[in-house]
C-alpha cells in the first residue's frame, strides 16, 4: 500500500517521504489508517533534539485511526469491545511487554521496552501498526475525531496524574499552566467537585481556562511575584493554601513555587517538567516543615486511556476539547506544523492525514 511517512533525519530536519506499507499484519497486531495526529509538546522535544534517546526516525504518537486490517486473533479491543475493519480506535503510544520487572510490578507505564518500535513507526504517517504488545481501545460514537485525538497522550496523562490524589467535592486545586494539559486538568478536577484555581502568564489561555471549568484565574502579569501569588491562593482558600497542586507548566521554577502554593500536608503532582538536566533553586526545609507529598507522573497505565474515552463520552459538548486543536495541517505540511508549534504561533497543531 502506498502512503507517506514523516521522517526526522536529525533534530530540526523533517522529510515527508513516500512509503510502501506492508499489507501483511502480524497475528495480534492491527493496522490503522491514521485519521488525525497532533503535535504534542513531547513531539517538539524530539524535533528540537532535547529527547534523551530519540533523535531520528518516524515521528508522532498522539492520534486516532481507523482499523484498516486486523491481524489473526484480534477480535476485541483491550476492554473486550468487539472490533472490525472501519472502527475508529486509539492506541496507547508505548509498549507494555507484561514480562519485564516494571510490568510485573504493575508499573505498565514504566515498561523497560516501551519505546521498542519508536522511530520505526510513528503516527505522522498514512498508516500505523498497533503491535500485539500495545493496548488499544475503540472510540465511542459520541466522541469526535478531534476530541479523541488527544486522548492517548494529554488526556490519559492528566487522568492518571489526578488519580494519584483523591479529590473530594470542596477540595481546592491550584493548576500551574493553562496549556493543553492544564485545561484538561481543569475539566477533570471540576467534574470531581474541586474549586479550580489556574495560574498562567498568557491572558488568552486564562480566558480559555474558564471554559474548561476554572473557578479562579491568577494572571502572572498582575500577580508578578511569588508572594503575590501565594497570598492570592491563600485568599481564595480561606487562608490555608490549596489542598492540591498540579504542575503542568513545564518550567523548573514552577516546581519550586508549587510547595508555596499548596497547604500544609497537601499533595503536589508534578508532570510538566519532563526534560532532565534543567534545575531550579528549591527550599527543602519548607517542604519538610509543610510535609507536602510530591508525586511525579509520567505516562499512564493503559486503563487510563479507556477511562479518558469514557470521560469524553459522558461529558460530550460540556467542555471545548475539540477547540484545543487550534490549527490544522496536512501530512505534507508537517514541517510547518512543527515549526509553528515550536515558535508558539499555534497552541496545539493537528495533522489531518487525508486532507
Ligand atoms: Zn504526547
Ligand atoms: Zn515491560
Amino acid at each position: 500500500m502506498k502512503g507517506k511517512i514523516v521522517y526526522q533525519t536529525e533534530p530540526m530536519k523533517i522529510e515527508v517521504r513516500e512509503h510502501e506499507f506492508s499489507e501483511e499484519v502480524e497475528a495480534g497486531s492491527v493496522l490503522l489508517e491514521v485519521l488525525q495526529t497532533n503535535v504534542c509538546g513531547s513531539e517538539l522535544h524530539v524535533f528540537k533534539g532535547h529527547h534523551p534517546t530519540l533523535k531520528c526516525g518516524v515521528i508522532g504518537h498522539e492520534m486516532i485511526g481507523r482499523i484498516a486490517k486486523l491481524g489473526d486473533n484480534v477480535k476485541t479491543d483491550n476492554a473486550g469491545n468487539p472490533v472490525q475493519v472501519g472502527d475508529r480506535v486509539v492506541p496507547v503510544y508505548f509498549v507494555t511487554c507484561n514480562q519485564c520487572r516494571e510490568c510485573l510490578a504493575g508499573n505498565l507505564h514504566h515498561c523497560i521496552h516501551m519505546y521498542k518500535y519508536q522511530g520505526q513507526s510513528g503516527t505522522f504517517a498514512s498508516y500505523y501498526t498497533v503491535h500485539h504488545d500495545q493496548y488499544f481501545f475503540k472510540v465511542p460514537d459520541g466522541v469526535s475525531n478531534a476530541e479523541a485525538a488527544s486522548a492517548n497522550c494529554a488526556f490519559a496523562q492528566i487522568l492518571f496524574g489526578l488519580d494519584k490524589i483523591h479529590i473530594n467535592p470542596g477540595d481546592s486545586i491550584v493548576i500551574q499552566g493553562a496549556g493543553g494539559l492544564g485545561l484538561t486538568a481543569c475539566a477533570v478536577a471540576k467534574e470531581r467537585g474541586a474549586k479550580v484555581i489556574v495560574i498562567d502568564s498568557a491572558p488568552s489561555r486564562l480566558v480559555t481556562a474558564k471554559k474548561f471549568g476554572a473557578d479562579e484565574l491568577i494572571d502572572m502579569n498582575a500577580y508578578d511575584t511569588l508572594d503575590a501569588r501565594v497570598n492570592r491562593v491563600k485568599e481564595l482558600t480561606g487562608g490555608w493554601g490549596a489542598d492540591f497542586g498540579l504542575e503542568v507548566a513545564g518550567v523548573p521554577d514552577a516546581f519550586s513555587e508549587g510547595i508555596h502554593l499548596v497547604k500544609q500536608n497537601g499533595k503536589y503532582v508534578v508532570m510538566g517538567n519532563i526534560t532532565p538536566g534543567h534545575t531550579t533553586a528549591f527550599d527543602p526545609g519548607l517542604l519538610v516543615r509543610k510535609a507536602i507529598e510530591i508525586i511525579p507522573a509520567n505516562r499512564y497505565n493503559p486503563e487510563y486511556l479507556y477511562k479518558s474515552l469514557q470521560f469524553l463520552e459522558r461529558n460530550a459538548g460540556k467542555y471545548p476539547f475539540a477547540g484545543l486543536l487550534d490549527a490544522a495541517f496536512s501530512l505534507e505540511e508537517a514541517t510547518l506544523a512543527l515549526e509553528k508549534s515550536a515558535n508558539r504561533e499555534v497552541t496545539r497543531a493537528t495533522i489531518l492525514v487525508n486532507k
Side-chain angles (χ1 to χ4, degrees):
M1 293 176 306
K2 287 200 186 311
K4 292 189 172 71
I5 54 169
V6 177
Y7 196 91
Q8 179 166 316
T9 52
E10 59 184 280
M12 304 298 281
K13 273 220 155 111
I14 298 289
E15 286 175 5
V16 182
R17 296 179 176 172
E18 299 292 328
H19 188 79
E20 186 69 34
F21 291 86
S22 169
E23 303 226 10
E24 295 289 306
V25 181
E26 283 177 24
S29 296
V30 181
L31 183 69
L32 303 185
E33 176 197 342
V34 180
L35 295 172
Q36 192 164 346
T37 178
N38 303 332
V39 179
C40 164
S42 45
E43 220 57 71
L44 295 175
H45 283 271
V46 176
F47 181 57
K48 292 177 187 166
H50 295 169
H51 193 281
T53 52
L54 276 173
K55 301 292 178 195
C56 65
V58 192
I59 57 173
H61 63 282
E62 211 176 279
M63 65 97 73
I64 174 171
R66 184 189 283 138
I67 298 176
K69 209 165 179 184
L70 289 165
D72 285 346
N73 310 325
V74 186
K75 304 268 187 289
T76 68
D77 70 6
N78 287 95
N81 300 302
V83 289
Q84 55 187 13
V85 169
D87 282 346
R88 295 180 309 147
V89 300
V90 288
V92 170
Y93 64 87
F94 50 89
V95 164
T96 42
C97 77
N98 282 312
Q99 292 177 342
C100 74
R101 226 170 132 162
E102 292 289 355
C103 283
L104 288 178
N107 300 319
L108 300 181
H109 58 309
H110 286 157
C111 174
I112 62 163
H113 302 297
M114 65 176 60
Y115 292 139
K116 190 163 127 189
Y117 306 110
Q118 214 147 13
Q120 305 160 36
S121 73
T123 64
F124 285 17
S126 306
Y127 295 93
Y128 176 79
T129 298
V130 184
H131 293 92
H132 68 93
D133 41 14
Q134 272 175 284
Y135 282 70
F136 74 96
F137 300 102
K138 194 169 162 176
V139 177
D141 288 341
V143 179
S144 70
N145 288 354
E147 289 169 323
S150 305
N152 77 337
C153 184
F155 207 112
Q157 184 63 64
I158 285 296
L159 267 194
F160 177 66
L162 289 184
D163 253 17
K164 291 183 171 291
I165 54 179
H166 300 282
I167 299 174
N168 286 307
D171 288 342
S172 57
I173 182 167
V174 61
I175 297 171
Q176 300 167 285
L181 290 172
L183 295 169
T184 303
C186 284
V188 173
K190 186 71 175 179
E191 287 302 315
R192 294 190 175 171
K195 176 174 190 172
V196 180
I197 303 165
V198 180
I199 303 180
D200 202 288
S201 59
S204 63
R205 286 180 170 212
L206 289 170
V207 170
T208 310
K210 267 272 176 212
K211 297 179 188 158
F212 279 86
D215 296 292
E216 301 288 349
L217 310 173
I218 299 180
D219 184 340
M220 292 176 77
N221 302 296
Y223 296 88
D224 58 355
T225 63
L226 170 65
D227 282 349
R229 293 189 284 276
V230 170
N231 289 335
R232 184 63 185 145
V233 170
K234 282 189 175 164
E235 266 171 31
L236 295 170
T237 54
W240 293 99
D243 294 297
F244 303 110
L246 173 68
E247 182 278 308
V248 278
V251 178
D253 287 345
F255 169 67
S256 321
E257 180 163 324
I259 61 165
H260 293 264
L261 306 171
V262 173
K263 77 170 182 57
Q264 184 161 285
N265 289 304
K267 292 185 179 179
Y268 182 40
V269 178
V270 182
M271 199 185 275
N273 277 286
I274 55 164
T275 310
H278 296 249
T279 57
T280 175
F282 185 78
D283 186 345
L286 183 72
L287 173 76
V288 173
R289 293 226 163 239
K290 289 181 79 174
I292 290 169
E293 188 180 340
I294 295 185
I295 306 164
N298 188 23
R299 292 180 295 275
Y300 54 89
N301 274 327
E303 63 167 318
Y304 285 91
L305 177 53
Y306 187 55
K307 288 181 175 175
S308 297
L309 294 169
Q310 291 174 311
F311 183 102
L312 286 166
E313 185 184 29
R314 205 167 50 241
N315 295 293
K318 198 163 170 186
Y319 303 100
F321 282 108
L324 280 180
L325 307 169
D326 60 340
F329 299 86
S330 67
L331 203 51
E332 288 74 14
E333 296 169 323
T335 308
L336 188 65
L338 284 158
E339 284 173 353
K340 279 187 180 282
S341 305
N343 297 335
R344 292 177 177 263
E345 287 171 55
V346 300
T347 305
R348 208 168 188 83
T350 192
I351 293 174
L352 299 169
V353 174
N354 296 315
K355 196 177 113 183

